[in-house]
Amino acid sequence: MCGNNMSVPLLAEAVTVSGTEKETAAVIFLHGLGDTGHGWADTMTSIRLPYVKYICPHAPRIPVTLNMKMNMPSWFDLMGLSPESPEDEAGIKRAAENIKAIIDHEAKNGIPPHRVLLGGFSQGGALSLYTALTCQQQLAGVVGLSCWLPLHKTFPQAASGSGNKDTPILQCHGEMDPMIPVQFGSMTAEKLKTIVSPQKITFRTYPGLMHSSCPEVGSTRA
């Protein structure tokens, strides 16, 4: 394989599950606040397809305002978990550029963006949505589990150059989620319909499911 992972900071430490055949597609999956890519790599291994490369990067450790400025893995700072909470605009944009760098790296190594699915859980799902909507390359699809759209007030203008206005987006949310209420997920789905082709948005809810992902992961293969 050509290319140098060290030139893409997130790839240098990312957990990668290689395909068992020639890799012609990739899944980039982003974990939630305080987590790492290891658990999601295990999940991807259990549902993997032989021609797909799975990349589960680790977020950098930064002080998180929401958690009393404790240092923990976080894609960007979080001040709150409501639609009106202040947001770390610079951090969100920087994180999105780092994910786009992974997409560009894979393209240079033979997997074009239209064969890359971008997904994530909670904060990672939020970053996946933002990255896709501000990415010029068209992706294969986006999966957001228990998440929201960061900087939602900047859209649809922020997506003016997006290559993903016709890209399928699957959102999944537990109806009993105490951290990111399902109503927040529903509001996000409605907002997405004003940004991209509405028929490309699928929003699924799961009765009894809290801030978790087990049934959601299975549905991403459907």
Side-chain angles (χ1 to χ4, degrees):
M1 175 178 169
C2 60
N4 181 1
N5 285 357
M6 296 302 291
S7 64
V8 182
L10 287 180
L11 270 181
E13 300 291 333
V15 185
T16 300
V17 180
S18 299
T20 56
E21 299 176 0
K22 176 179 169 59
E23 295 170 345
T24 60
V27 171
I28 302 169
F29 199 89
L30 311 178
H31 64 75
L33 177 68
D35 199 1
T36 71
H38 288 291
W40 286 103
D42 291 343
T43 301
M44 296 301 153
T45 299
S46 71
I47 63 170
R48 69 176 170 174
L49 298 171
Y51 54 86
V52 178
K53 176 183 186 180
Y54 297 87
I55 303 168
C56 299
H58 307 305
R61 294 182 66 88
I62 63 170
V64 176
T65 301
L66 182 66
N67 287 345
M68 298 167 48
K69 290 285 186 183
M70 287 177 58
N71 268 296
M72 61 183 60
S74 185
W75 298 108
F76 47 86
D77 192 14
L78 279 172
M79 289 77 159
L81 292 174
S82 79
E84 300 307 316
S85 296
E87 295 185 271
D88 176 17
E89 181 172 358
I92 292 165
K93 291 181 175 179
R94 183 168 55 249
E97 290 306 311
N98 287 336
I99 303 306
K100 291 172 191 174
I102 298 178
I103 296 168
D104 289 341
H105 182 272
E106 292 308 306
K108 290 173 184 174
N109 286 280
I111 300 177
H114 72 267
R115 295 285 292 162
V116 174
L117 186 143
L118 180 59
F121 174 72
S122 194
Q123 189 192 39
L127 180 56
S128 295
L129 290 178
Y130 185 84
T131 301
L133 293 177
T134 57
C135 183
Q136 294 182 351
Q137 300 106 316
Q138 183 174 6
L139 304 176
V142 185
V143 176
L145 309 181
S146 307
C147 68
W148 69 97
L149 176 62
L151 303 177
H152 62 94
K153 292 180 181 178
T154 67
F155 291 94
Q157 291 81 2
S160 58
S162 177
N164 290 294
K165 293 184 179 179
D166 284 308
T167 298
I169 299 177
L170 171 62
Q171 262 187 278
C172 302
H173 217 112
E175 292 181 8
M176 300 298 289
D177 191 330
M179 294 184 65
I180 315 294
V182 69
Q183 292 84 355
F184 200 178
S186 178
M187 289 167 58
T188 296
E190 291 306 308
K191 179 71 175 183
L192 289 173
K193 290 176 183 176
T194 70
I195 304 168
V196 302
S197 300
Q199 65 270 26
K200 295 291 186 177
I201 305 298
T202 301
F203 181 58
R204 296 179 180 171
T205 62
Y206 298 83
L209 185 66
M210 300 182 75
H211 197 62
S212 183
S213 61
C214 292
E216 296 175 315
V217 169
S219 74
T220 64
R221 296 194 68 182

